Amino acid sequence: MPQSDVFITGIGIISPVGLGRSDFWTGLTTGRSGIRSLIEREDDGAKPTPDQAQQPFWIGAPVTGFDAKQYVRPRKALKVMCREIQTAFAASQLAMDDSGWSDRLPADDDGDIASDRVATVFGSEMLYGSPNEMIKAVEDCRDEDGQIREADFGRSAMKGIMPLWMLKYLPNMPACQIGIAINAQGPNNTLVLGDVSGPAAVIESMSCLNRGIADLVICGAAGTRINSTRLLYRHDLPAFAPESAVTFPCDPLRCNAGVIGGEGSVAFTLETADSMAKRNAEPIVRISGIASRFSPADSMKQRDRTSKRCVSAGRGSSTAIRNAIDAALSQAGRTESDIGGVVSHAMGDPSMDSAENDALKGHLADCPRIQPMRLIGHTGAASGSFAIATGACWLADAGRGDAFGSPDGDVLCLAHTSEGSAVASILSRT
């Protein structure tokens, strides 16, 4: 395949270490950690009591200082937006500000860009509601002995839950709400693929641009691993172990601390060279190559899903990661020697981190490596987009004397799942 002609022209970030591209990058380069007790969370999620604050279950990386009212217009739309949709909307606004598109949108057929030439593509995940929203409906189902009558829940829910409740939690609503706000009538799509959801959305967005069916794509992902309902429901990755705090979360040589959840959203404006030329815009980075591959993890082959904290747990696939890297290099016309830095997906899961280390053996193992989850935790469907955003900041903003220095070549950004999906992205200076 020829080298990609798609560029990132704007980046918007809502993260536990900062809001906006500059603040996020400063947070990473100065080692500002977003990992703290969930007693500091600012959403409506469950909080620990003061004596529970430092227990492992209550450690996470919440976004703080975020006020959705500063970004969402009209504000009445907030009542049908859960927190993930709010942060995705805000990240998109920041990306449009960063790229210079804010004053040119909403799209208008008589304006700078026609409405059917603007696309919105987002990575997402199952969005869990807050238990608080169900309290009244559940309580109304109790009989005189305090027992729950399940058969009464439908009637109780009709009375006790907002009629538009479901709209708050549909995975496709980030792309939908953003599309409505900017009158984007071009392609609109949502990909739900776990940790690779965001990079998969980038692949779909690039396809829209390369096929000539859009001139601008607002693309990104939103996710969380600290939603209260999800914390209670899912146990698919090893939890944080306090005795391993000294190495948390992803020392590539001693990956044994467990996973700490975070939350956040990332958005990009993606354009071709022709689109940028029409408005005299400057790109941040070029996406030179990006590839998705799958090879089933051992746990899938054996049908043995476990959250045990050990390398042999079978989560992740070094084969998928290696194949994705090779395909991205081929697409970009690069070799391993052209890679000057790696943005790792390492999260503290010894099994998945070991798979990544195996895939990076050789030249790539010696490349400088950034591990964003050390500071922002695991952000679910947004984690792969955070890797790409980190790589773009590294290339564009390096040289300021920051802790990471300037990568000597392109940057490889990784995202992969416990089941065996992997996406490798190669970013280049423009």
Side-chain angles (χ1 to χ4, degrees), residues 152-311:
D152 292 345
F153 182 75
R155 173 184 53 78
S156 300
M158 290 287 288
K159 294 180 179 180
I161 297 176
M162 182 183 73
L164 299 179
W165 176 87
M166 183 177 290
L167 291 181
K168 295 177 65 175
Y169 301 106
L170 293 175
N172 65 319
M173 290 309 289
C176 177
Q177 291 285 8
I178 294 157
I180 292 171
I182 62 175
N183 194 29
Q185 297 183 25
N188 183 291
N189 204 354
T190 297
L191 294 95
V192 179
L193 297 168
D195 295 12
V196 301
S197 298
V202 171
I203 293 174
E204 174 70 12
S205 300
M206 293 175 66
S207 175
C208 293
L209 294 169
N210 289 328
R211 285 183 288 149
I213 60 175
D215 296 321
L216 168 68
V217 185
I218 312 300
C219 168
T224 181
R225 286 294 179 272
I226 59 171
N227 171 275
S228 300
T229 303
R230 193 189 193 286
L231 284 171
L232 294 170
Y233 177 61
R234 298 293 296 271
H235 300 283
D236 48 355
L237 293 173
F240 168 58
E243 67 272 11
S244 302
V246 67
T247 58
F248 174 77
C250 45
D251 184 325
L253 300 179
R254 295 180 63 194
C255 308
N256 60 358
V259 180
I260 289 184
E263 64 171 342
S265 294
V266 177
F268 308 105
T269 53
L270 302 182
E271 301 177 66
T272 63
D274 289 343
S275 173
M276 292 188 300
K278 290 178 182 178
R279 62 187 189 93
N280 296 317
E282 294 293 330
I284 299 172
V285 293
R286 178 200 293 267
I287 304 175
S288 295
I290 183 168
S292 173
R293 293 293 184 269
F294 175 78
S295 180
D298 288 343
S299 61
M300 286 195 69
K301 296 176 184 178
Q302 300 164 5
R303 298 184 179 182
D304 180 24
R305 294 183 62 87
T306 175
S307 59
K308 291 181 180 178
R309 190 183 296 106
C310 60
V311 171

Side-chain angles (χ1 to χ4, degrees), residues 16 33-50 52-54 58-66 83 226 263:
S33 178
I35 295 170
R36 53 179 72 91
S37 170
L38 292 181
I39 200 169
E40 298 184 35
R41 71 190 308 167
E42 297 175 354
D43 61 357
D44 63 351
K47 296 182 180 181
T49 60
Q52 298 171 329
Q54 299 304 316
W58 295 109
I59 300 297
V63 170
T64 57
F66 171 70
R83 185 167 174 86
I226 59 171
E263 64 171 342

Side-chain angles (χ1 to χ4, degrees), residues 72-95:
V72 177
R73 297 289 186 276
R75 287 188 178 179
K76 65 180 181 181
L78 283 170
K79 65 184 178 183
V80 289
M81 291 185 182
C82 67
R83 185 167 174 86
E84 293 90 332
I85 300 174
Q86 293 174 11
T87 58
F89 194 101
S92 299
Q93 292 294 329
L94 291 171

